[in-house]
Amino acid sequence: MSDIKIKIKDREGVSHEVDAPTDMNMNLMEVVRSYELAPEGTIGVCGGMAMCASCQCYVHSDHALPEKSDDEDAMLAEAFYVEENSRLGCQIHMTEDLDGLEVELAPES
Ligand code: FES
């Protein structure tokens, strides 16, 4: 079992350093939910299907992330508060090369 460290800034601007397991097939949205860093019902609304953008986050570190899928691209094209570094948290799976990742939750829309 191996955990990685991830820094997540919540919607109130508070930073949290959390451990995320890489052996449970979790994505970033599920990590945020498991630490209750956003109120229930405000993140992960579509269950991680790239269909709601409630899990949007800004990636501040320069980790090489997997390419966006067409679904993620299409969802971000419709979402609010989208920036250059926006990604859907539910599409980012926890892998060892993401150790030290720094993200910020996008505002609720
Ligand atoms: S949880 Fe709906 S897009 Fe990520």
Side-chain angles (χ1 to χ4, degrees):
M1 158 151 185
S2 55
D3 284 0
I4 56 174
K5 297 252 185 241
I6 298 196
K7 223 183 236 178
I8 302 170
K9 194 190 263 192
D10 67 23
R11 290 176 179 141
E12 259 84 67
V14 181
S15 284
H16 307 263
E17 191 171 56
V18 303
D19 293 322
T22 57
D23 57 355
M24 289 176 65
N25 198 26
M26 278 177 102
N27 63 51
L28 183 57
M29 174 273 282
E30 292 167 331
V31 172
V32 172
R33 286 175 62 122
S34 70
Y35 284 98
E36 300 182 351
L37 302 183
E40 188 69 35
T42 67
I43 188 165
V45 175
C46 75
M49 308 284 287
M51 285 171 61
C52 71
S54 66
C55 63
Q56 185 192 167
C57 58
Y58 307 123
V59 178
H60 291 308
S61 52
D62 53 6
H63 287 73
L65 295 171
E67 291 288 308
K68 288 179 204 150
S69 66
D70 291 347
D71 286 347
E72 181 176 358
D73 245 343
M75 192 62 243
L76 285 172
E78 288 175 25
F80 296 100
Y81 312 113
V82 174
E83 305 282 350
E84 279 287 291
N85 57 350
S86 286
R87 293 296 303 253
L88 295 179
C90 67
Q91 303 301 301
I92 299 176
H93 289 270
M94 297 296 100
T95 53
E96 275 168 33
D97 47 349
L98 294 187
D99 190 35
L101 184 72
E102 293 183 27
V103 300
E104 174 179 356
L105 302 184
E108 199 184 335
S109 55

